[in-house]
Amino acid sequence: MTASTANAQRFREFKMPDVGEGLTEAEILKWYVQPGDTVTDGQVVCEVETAKAAVELPIPYTGVVHELRFGEGVTVDVGTAIIAVDTDPGAGPAEAPAAAPQEATADEEAEPQGRQAVLVGYGAAPSSTKRRARKPQPGVPAQPEPAKAALQAELNGRAAPAAPATPVAPAVQPAPAAPAGSAVPAAGRPLAKPPVRKLAKDLGIDLATILPTGPDGIITREDVHAAATPAAAPAEAPAPVAVAAAEPGTVDTAARERRVPVKGVRKATAQAMVASAFTAPHVTEFITVDVTRTMKLVQELKQDPDMAGLRVNPLLLVAKAFLVALKRHPEANAAWDEANQEIVYKDYVNLGIAAATPRGLIVPNIKDAGAKTLPQLASELGDLVATAREGKTSPAAMAGGTVTITNVGVFGVDTGTPILNPGESAILAFGAVKLQPWVHKGKVTARQVTTLALSFDHRLVDGELGSKLLADVAAVLERPKRLITWG
């Protein structure tokens, strides 16, 4: 066994896992360990936020933390090493993992053989991907090495290094195609990973103006940051703005605005809502119902010994009413399979509950909710809400929903037009319960009234089916004994 092999086995790297379904990146929210701390297999070492939720990551090694590769608040691609652990700290003085290529000089980076310099880790191995050389553009000469350095210096906002005294004859013929590993920007779409493209877009940087330094001519995050740093200076106080600010009647609001990067749960919610709104044809129907009897039942259930220790509230009975109505109209519990051009009818109900959390809106769901008793439903509903408020909801808890309830009434709102959770067929909005004049037994009297709104995917649910579903939910809440006769 060679020294390098033994060193690699001793220092184990833990890479950012895909903790959801096809996630590509996650933000490190908090480190629970520091270099020098002892860790054991299965110990939680950090908390990360994905596009779906905050998740704690356990490490699969036992040893001593050698290095944290990224700080808190940094977004890291899935598959990137985030922590290194010395699994045999008693073997002697710790040697850093073989990251020597990090110290490579510019001359070494230009060599096509050997490892490439990287910011962290053991260095990238020579790429096994063979990229086809791009065809040269007519009349575009190849750039010699001094020209590359001058271009990069200009893009980065620094003075170009002194060119060697060797004269360079002007090129008059089209240059041959650049080799696949060349760092010269080739014609066509620049090579960059999706997170790097997004970073460039957020910073207002055109990728075509950046000279790549990554392997195989790929633009890295560092390239984008280097190109963006000098560009910020001249934009701070342009002369025309100063003149415009002096004009009467104009107000400079820049100092009173805040810009926050869109990421994590907020980013995922935005993408999901846009995809749903412009994919599924939404129809929303409304109904106002007297829920006085339901509110009395809530108070009675709170005193029931079978519900002791459980949270009983109007949302619990609305959820049960929705499940009973879906049992009477199972065709409404379906999904649209665009790829196979099929409708998938589901014989189970995973009931989603929209929950507002400090990180944004999430929709965890109660698995197989239709098969649960009222006490079981109350227990899982309470656990779901508590976990969501703590920010500990797992991606698995938010996957596979079929229908959803959103309780806008807790904010004093009468109703709304909710947007479907992607992949689901319907969402029920439960509005505020208020005392209102109502005709009851032929007399106008004060009754507890609420408004329900049901949005459904019109590809799956026709108007008649959607109307019957909503009417049955209202009928159960008006006369909750139907939970027995219909359930």
Side-chain angles (χ1 to χ4, degrees), residues 93-427:
E95 297 180 3
Q102 282 185 259
E103 307 301 328
T105 63
D107 292 336
E108 291 170 336
E109 290 178 358
E111 295 179 5
Q113 301 298 328
R115 291 185 178 270
Q116 300 288 331
V118 293
L119 285 182
V120 296
Y122 295 96
S127 174
S128 59
T129 303
K130 303 299 182 183
R131 299 186 182 273
R132 185 172 54 193
R134 299 181 182 270
K135 295 182 180 180
Q137 293 290 323
V140 180
Q143 293 182 337
E145 291 300 325
K148 295 180 191 178
L151 175 58
Q152 183 65 72
E154 180 181 354
L155 292 175
N156 292 348
R158 298 190 295 267
T166 305
V168 179
V172 294
Q173 297 296 331
S182 173
V184 179
R189 192 177 187 217
L191 300 176
K193 294 181 179 180
V196 177
R197 292 185 181 279
K198 180 183 180 304
L199 175 63
K201 182 179 179 181
D202 293 342
L203 296 177
I205 303 298
D206 184 357
L207 288 175
T209 66
I210 299 178
L211 194 65
T213 61
D216 295 323
I218 295 177
I219 297 174
T220 66
R221 289 178 180 271
E222 291 67 37
D223 296 337
V224 175
H225 284 301
T229 300
E236 291 180 357
V241 175
V243 175
E247 295 179 1
T250 60
V251 179
D252 182 12
T253 60
R256 293 182 291 165
E257 296 177 347
R258 293 182 297 112
R259 291 181 177 268
V260 179
V262 180
K263 56 185 179 180
V265 175
R266 174 56 57 192
K267 179 179 178 180
T269 300
Q271 292 174 341
M273 292 299 97
V274 170
S276 177
F278 293 99
T279 301
H282 285 55
V283 173
T284 304
E285 295 186 339
F286 308 88
I287 190 169
T288 303
V289 58
D290 176 5
V291 293
T292 304
R293 292 185 178 94
T294 291
M295 300 303 290
K296 289 181 179 179
L297 179 58
V298 169
Q299 298 304 318
E300 292 173 2
L301 288 173
K302 288 182 178 180
Q303 308 302 321
D304 193 307
D306 291 335
M307 304 297 288
L310 299 175
R311 184 175 181 181
V312 179
N313 55 23
L315 178 61
L316 172 62
L317 294 186
V318 171
K320 193 64 177 178
F322 196 15
L323 292 170
V324 169
L326 284 168
K327 185 178 180 180
R328 288 168 57 84
H329 305 285
E331 301 86 357
N333 186 39
W336 183 272
D337 187 342
E338 181 67 27
N340 295 315
Q341 287 296 290
E342 295 175 341
I343 296 176
V344 183
Y345 292 100
K346 302 182 179 182
D347 297 329
Y348 59 92
V349 179
N350 290 345
L351 180 62
I353 305 294
T357 73
R359 292 190 177 96
L361 176 69
I362 63 174
V363 188
N365 60 77
I366 301 173
K367 305 295 192 255
D368 210 10
K372 300 188 182 301
T373 64
L374 192 63
Q376 291 173 337
L377 191 64
S379 176
E380 296 214 18
L381 184 59
D383 292 344
L384 178 149
V385 173
T387 303
R389 287 176 177 173
E390 294 172 0
K392 303 298 183 182
T393 303
S394 67
M398 292 184 282
T402 61
V403 295
T404 291
I405 295 176
T406 176
N407 185 10
V408 298
V410 295
F411 306 110
V413 175
D414 291 335
T415 190
T417 54
I419 297 177
L420 292 167
N421 206 28
E424 299 184 6
S425 60
I427 179 171

